[in-house]
Amino acid sequence: DGGITQSPKYLFRKEGQNVTLSCEQNLNHDAMYWYRQDPGQGLRLIYYSQIVNDFQKGDIAEGYSVSREKKESFPLTVTSAQKNPTAFYLCASSIWDNRYEQYFGPGTRLTVT
Amino acid sequence: GENVEQHPSTLSVQEGDSAVIKCTYSDSASNYFPWYKQELGKRPQLIIDIRSNVGEKKDQRIAVTLNKTAKHFSLHITETQPEDSAVYFCAANNAGNMLTFGGGTRLMVKP
């Protein structure tokens, strides 16, 4: 289970608070991704980053923010503007030129009450 | 943009039987179709993929078929075992060269 890690595994927050999810990889991959997983909806892309200091919105970026200051790290902040933040969040990484072969982290289950 | 639909959403089979999961996609330019397996509480893992220049690919008990004309592809698992129980996701690459995922199929293999 090495290579790409996410912490914590479970996270609980009160409504109205921002929360940051961690994602770290030691695979030397240049690209990193954040997905949200809801029951019956598969994985939906929130943000992705091709290279350090660069990132792009995915299909459901509203209410989320990211940073990519280091190649190894791609933290995701779930802001209070995200209307329905409770979900399972998956981080992934890949070589950009082979971006279809994505390696996933173990995920963080966020519950906001 | 690309739309990927996956059926069925749940599938229950007896151990030793075959299981088939089907996906359809909308973008005729898509040319890469991976399948992921996600066991309960674990990360999705790539189990097999196919590119549009072939019609079928096999790896031991799993196989994937692709029909480009009809824009659908299927995962076939033969001689199912209890450890095959998981959620399976199909995906297709989209115009932005990202992956669009299907909604997932929960496969239950009954011993």
Side-chain angles (χ1 to χ4, degrees), chain A residues 34-38 41 43-47 57-64 76 82 89:
Chain A
W34 274 105
Y35 292 92
R36 172 182 170 132
Q37 184 175 20
D38 295 286
Q41 293 196 45
L43 281 66
R44 293 183 289 167
L45 182 65
I46 305 172
Y47 267 98
K57 291 181 180 179
D59 299 321
I60 55 164
E62 186 176 349
Y64 300 97
L76 172 75
Q82 168 49 235
Y89 291 88

Side-chain angles (χ1 to χ4, degrees), chain B residues 1-110:
Chain B
E2 174 71 284
N3 183 44
V4 177
E5 295 193 357
Q6 184 171 345
H7 299 280
S9 56
T10 60
L11 178 60
S12 182
V13 300
Q14 207 64 40
E15 182 178 358
D17 288 350
S18 295
V20 180
I21 302 170
K22 298 181 180 179
C23 288
T24 60
Y25 61 99
S26 59
D27 188 350
S28 56
S30 294
N31 57 11
Y32 177 73
F33 308 92
W35 285 90
Y36 287 84
K37 176 183 180 182
Q38 185 179 27
E39 296 178 31
L40 189 63
K42 297 196 174 175
R43 70 189 79 196
Q45 294 198 305
L46 179 69
I47 55 171
I48 195 168
D49 56 15
I50 191 168
R51 295 185 185 272
S52 59
N53 57 347
V54 298
E56 184 174 359
K57 185 175 178 181
K58 203 170 179 180
D59 183 3
Q60 298 182 334
R61 294 187 298 107
I62 61 172
V64 56
T65 58
L66 172 65
N67 183 326
K68 286 173 58 180
T69 304
K71 289 191 279 190
H72 67 70
F73 56 111
S74 300
L75 178 72
H76 305 252
I77 306 174
T78 58
E79 300 171 23
T80 53
Q81 301 166 4
E83 51 265 39
D84 294 329
S85 296
V87 177
Y88 291 82
F89 292 98
C90 64
N93 62 319
N94 56 37
N97 270 330
M98 292 291 122
L99 292 176
T100 298
F101 288 84
T105 296
R106 182 172 299 281
L107 173 64
M108 293 170 284
V109 180
K110 295 181 284 188

Side-chain angles (χ1 to χ4, degrees), chain A residues 12-97:
Chain A
F12 298 88
R13 280 294 182 271
K14 294 288 186 188
E15 195 174 317
Q17 293 179 333
N18 290 358
V19 59
T20 297
L21 282 58
S22 164
C23 178
E24 304 276 333
Q25 55 98 2
N26 61 6
L27 300 168
N28 201 31
H29 285 167
D30 40 6
M32 297 186 74
Y33 314 81
W34 274 105
Y35 292 92
R36 172 182 170 132
Q37 184 175 20
D38 295 286
Q41 293 196 45
L43 281 66
R44 293 183 289 167
L45 182 65
I46 305 172
Y47 267 98
Y48 66 95
S49 168
Q50 179 181 349
I51 198 171
V52 173
N53 292 324
D54 180 71
F55 46 83
Q56 303 295 328
K57 291 181 180 179
D59 299 321
I60 55 164
E62 186 176 349
Y64 300 97
S65 66
V66 293
S67 62
R68 187 87 187 276
E69 296 176 4
K70 298 187 301 181
K71 187 176 185 178
E72 301 80 18
S73 179
F74 191 40
L76 172 75
T77 297
V78 184
T79 76
S80 55
Q82 168 49 235
K83 290 183 172 54
N84 187 18
T86 295
F88 188 55
Y89 291 88
L90 283 161
C91 179
S93 70
S94 76
I95 298 170
W96 179 252
D97 288 344

